[in-house]
Amino acid sequence: MRYPLIRALAWSLGLLAFALGPMLLAYLGPGQPREFWVEMGVGLGFVGLSLLLLQFLLTGRYDQVAESFGLDSMLQFHKQLGLIALVLILAHPVVLFLTDPDYLEYLDPRVNFLRALSLSGVTGALLLLVATSLWRVTFRLNYEWWRVVHGSLASFILLIGIVHPIQVGHYVAGPWLVGLFAAMGVGALALLVNTRVIRPWRMRRRPWRLVEVRQERGEAATLVFEPDGHEGFRFEPGQFAWLTLNDTPFTLQQHPFSFSSSADEAPGRLEFTIKGEGDFSTWARQVDPGLTAFLEGPFGAFVPPRDPEVGCVMLVGGVGVTPCMSMLRTFADRGDTRPLVLIYANEELEGVIFRNEIEELRESLDLEVIHVLEEPPEDWEGEEGLVDKDLLARLLPDDDRVYDHFVCGPEPMMDAVEKALLALEVPQRRILSERFNMV
Ligand SMILES: Cc1cc2nc3c(=O)[nH]c(=O)nc-3n(C[C@H](O)[C@H](O)[C@H](O)COP(=O)(O)OP(=O)(O)OC[C@H]3O[C@@H](n4cnc5c(N)ncnc54)[C@H](O)[C@@H]3O)c2cc1C
C-alpha cells in the first residue's frame, strides 16, 4: 500500500488507543482490582469488545479509511481483526471459568434466565458470524443475504457486548461510564445505519441512467451510465463504485465494479465492463438501456500516481483488466507518455477483453503489451502458460525507472504474481492489488 509513514503511524496509534481505550476507561471506574487471572479474563473481554466496535468503522465505506488502506487490505484487516476478536471474546469466559468455577453461574438459566440466554446466544452468534464469513459458499448463502446475516449478527453481538459489562456492573458502573459505554454502542450502530439506510436515502436523489450496453469479447459487456438530473461524480482511474441496477437504492442488490472508462469522461459519463460470473453479473450483461441505476463511490486506492515519472506495470487476468483499461484510456486522454507495460493473461485469444482497443492505444501511449495465453492458437508466437516468476523475470522492465505494479485478476494468479514480484525484489510498497472476490 502507498501511504506515508506518518499516516501509518497515526493509524497504528489510533488503533491501539481504540483497542485499549474501553478497558482503560473501565479501570478508571470505582471497581476494585481482583486476582490476576480474573483481571486477565475481564481485560480480554474488553479488548475483544473494542475490536468489535472498530469493525463497524472499517466496513462502513468511509473515504478516509478506504483511502488509507485500500479496499483489499482493509477487508483482509477486517477479517483478521474479526478472528482476533473471536479468540479474545471466547477466551474471556474460558479464563474466568478456569480461574473461578463460580462464574459458570452466568450461563445458568436458573440463576438469571435472560442473562444466560443472551450470553449463550451471543457465543453462538459469534461462531455463526465467523463460520458464515469463512465458509459462505459452503453454506450456499448468496452474497446479498450473507450481508444481511452478517450485519444482523454483528449488531446483536455488539448490543449484548455493551449490555454485558453494564449488567455485571463491576467496572462499568456509575452514570458516566454506563453512559459512555452506551454511547459507544449507539455510535457503532449509527455507523451501520448510516451505511445501510442513510446513504441509500441520499442516493435516491442521484439516479443514473443506463444509456448503452456494448457486448465485449470474453462474455463481458460494457454498461454506459449518465447522471440523471445531477452532475454525476469524478473518479480516479483504477477506482470502483457500488452499482445498484434497480428503481430504488433500497435493495440488497449492490455490487462493486471498477470503472473501465477514462476518468476524463466523468462526471457526465462512466462505464463498467462486467463479465457474467454469477446471478447478477450474468443478468447485467444482458439488460437493455433505459434502466435506472444508483452508484455509491468512488472508492479504492488502486490508482496510479499523478507523477508521470513513475511507470506502471499492469499484471492482469481476464476481466481484471477493467481498472487498468481505465488507466490506459485516461493516460491516452491526458497525453501522459509514462512507460507502461501490460502483461495480460487469458485462456484464449478470442476471449481477450478490449483486445483491439488495446492495440490501438499502443499508438498514442508508450505501451508494451504482452498477452499470455493458456490455450494459444496454433500459429501463436507470443507467451503461453501461466504468469509465473520465470516469465516475470524475463518480462519486467529492467531500466532504472521507478515502476508501480498493479495486480488484478483471478485469485490464484494474484497470489502467484504477488509472491513472484516480492521474490524478484519488487518493493512491497510498489505492488498494488485489487481483488474482485471479497468474501
Ligand atoms: C473492487 C471490485 C471491483 C470489481 N470490478 C469488477 C469489474 O470491473 N468487472 C467485473 O466483471 N467484476 C468486477 N468485480 C467482481 C464483481 O463485483 C462480482 O463478480 C459480482 O459482484 C458477482 O456477483 P454475482 O451475483 O454475479 O455472482 P455471485 O456468484 O453471487 O458472486 C460471485 C462472487 O462475487 C463476489 N460478490 C458477489 N456479490 C457481491 C457484492 N454485492 N459485493 C461484493 N462482492 C460480491 C463474491 O466474492 C462472490 O463469491 C469487482 C469486485 C470488486 C470487489
Side-chain angles (χ1 to χ4, degrees):
M1 269 315 315
R2 183 191 11 244
Y3 53 86
L5 192 65
I6 297 191
R7 209 173 188 189
L9 213 66
W11 266 108
S12 309
L13 288 176
L15 291 178
L16 197 68
F18 206 103
L20 300 180
M23 182 177 73
L24 297 177
L25 284 174
Y27 286 160
L28 288 178
Q32 291 303 309
R34 293 153 293 186
E35 68 172 285
F36 174 79
W37 283 108
V38 172
E39 292 309 322
M40 173 62 93
V42 171
L44 291 172
F46 276 124
V47 178
L49 176 64
S50 313
L51 298 188
L52 209 64
L53 284 166
L54 191 61
Q55 302 285 42
F56 285 76
L57 183 67
L58 289 180
T59 53
R61 301 183 196 161
Y62 293 98
D63 282 352
Q64 297 80 350
V65 181
E67 270 170 26
S68 299
F69 286 87
L71 182 82
D72 191 23
S73 314
M74 201 275 296
L75 284 177
Q76 292 305 324
F77 187 50
H78 168 59
K79 274 187 199 169
Q80 283 157 10
L81 216 59
L83 289 173
I84 296 173
L86 172 81
V87 171
L88 294 179
I89 293 173
L90 292 182
H92 161 65
V94 171
V95 171
L96 289 175
F97 297 159
L98 289 176
T99 310
D100 182 353
D102 282 353
Y103 281 111
L104 276 168
E105 76 168 36
Y106 276 80
L107 295 181
D108 188 342
R110 291 163 306 178
V111 179
N112 184 331
F113 179 74
L114 255 186
R115 183 176 69 185
L117 187 71
S118 58
L119 292 182
S120 314
V122 82
T123 312
L126 197 61
L127 291 171
L128 193 63
L129 181 128
V130 173
T132 48
S133 304
L134 292 180
W135 300 293
R136 180 180 66 82
V137 179
T138 316
F139 278 88
R140 291 173 188 268
L141 255 182
N142 77 20
Y143 189 86
E144 285 82 359
W145 280 107
W146 170 80
R147 271 186 79 201
V148 175
V149 170
H150 200 72
S152 311
L153 288 174
S155 308
F156 171 68
I157 295 164
L158 180 79
L159 183 77
I160 303 296
I162 292 286
V163 170
H164 175 58
I166 296 176
Q167 194 257 338
V168 171
H170 182 78
Y171 280 122
V172 184
W176 280 107
L177 272 175
V178 170
L180 196 74
F181 267 67
M184 288 192 304
V186 172
L189 289 181
L191 291 177
L192 189 70
V193 171
N194 183 36
T195 310
R196 306 263 167 116
V197 182
I198 297 177
R199 252 186 245 156
W201 177 258
R202 289 214 194 108
M203 265 192 323
R204 85 195 190 291
R205 293 178 186 281
R206 300 174 64 81
W208 292 71
R209 183 78 45 214
L210 176 63
V211 294
E212 190 186 335
V213 179
R214 269 196 323 266
Q215 294 304 317
E216 307 278 2
R217 291 170 190 274
E219 296 176 357
T222 294
L223 275 58
V224 184
F225 293 92
E226 287 178 3
D228 189 355
H230 57 97
E231 70 285 4
F233 59 70
R234 295 200 166 277
F235 63 88
E236 294 285 326
Q239 286 193 300
F240 70 95
W242 294 82
L243 167 68
T244 300
L245 213 43
N246 201 307
D247 286 338
T248 166
F250 291 101
T251 160
L252 293 179
Q253 178 227 76
Q254 206 192 25
H255 293 259
F257 290 101
S258 301
F259 302 102
S260 56
S261 49
S262 162
D264 282 4
E265 279 186 40
R269 185 180 165 96
L270 48 84
E271 301 181 1
F272 301 105
T273 301
I274 299 179
K275 187 175 166 83
E277 303 269 25
D279 291 351
F280 174 77
S281 46
T282 305
W283 169 74
R285 271 183 56 217
Q286 294 154 7
V287 292
D288 291 322
L291 290 186
T292 301
F294 294 90
L295 296 177
E296 187 182 340
F299 293 106
F302 190 72
V303 171
R306 287 255 163 188
D307 178 3
E309 288 305 309
V310 180
C312 297
V313 178
M314 302 165 182
L315 302 125
V316 302
V319 74
V321 72
T322 52
C324 292
M325 193 62 193
S326 175
M327 295 179 201
L328 295 178
R329 286 170 164 163
T330 308
F331 289 146
D333 282 351
R334 293 180 184 168
D336 190 324
T337 53
R338 75 182 74 197
L340 305 165
V341 180
L342 174 68
I343 300 178
Y344 188 6
N346 278 282
E347 232 166 81
E348 297 174 346
L349 191 60
E350 273 319 298
V352 177
I353 306 173
F354 305 130
R355 194 176 94 207
N356 297 347
E357 191 183 336
I358 288 171
E359 275 312 304
E360 286 163 22
L361 282 167
R362 291 170 88 153
E363 284 165 24
S364 51
L365 295 170
D366 178 4
L367 170 64
E368 186 185 351
V369 181
I370 299 142
H371 289 287
V372 185
L373 299 178
E374 255 185 273
E375 294 166 22
E378 277 182 10
D379 55 349
W380 181 248
E381 290 179 358
E383 297 292 337
E384 54 185 279
L386 299 173
V387 180
D388 57 17
K389 189 178 157 204
D390 291 344
L391 181 132
L392 292 181
R394 274 191 293 114
L395 299 179
L396 288 184
D398 55 3
D399 53 65
D400 289 340
R401 224 177 233 273
V402 173
Y403 286 87
D404 273 348
H405 299 70
F406 294 86
V407 187
C408 186
E411 204 164 8
M413 174 193 162
M414 294 192 63
D415 292 342
V417 168
E418 285 170 356
K419 215 168 132 198
L421 289 174
L422 291 173
L424 292 168
E425 295 183 357
V426 174
Q428 175 91 53
R429 68 176 190 289
R430 294 283 165 204
I431 305 173
L432 291 95
S433 299
E434 188 79 291
R435 283 178 191 264
F436 280 4
N437 56 327
M438 295 217 247
V439 274

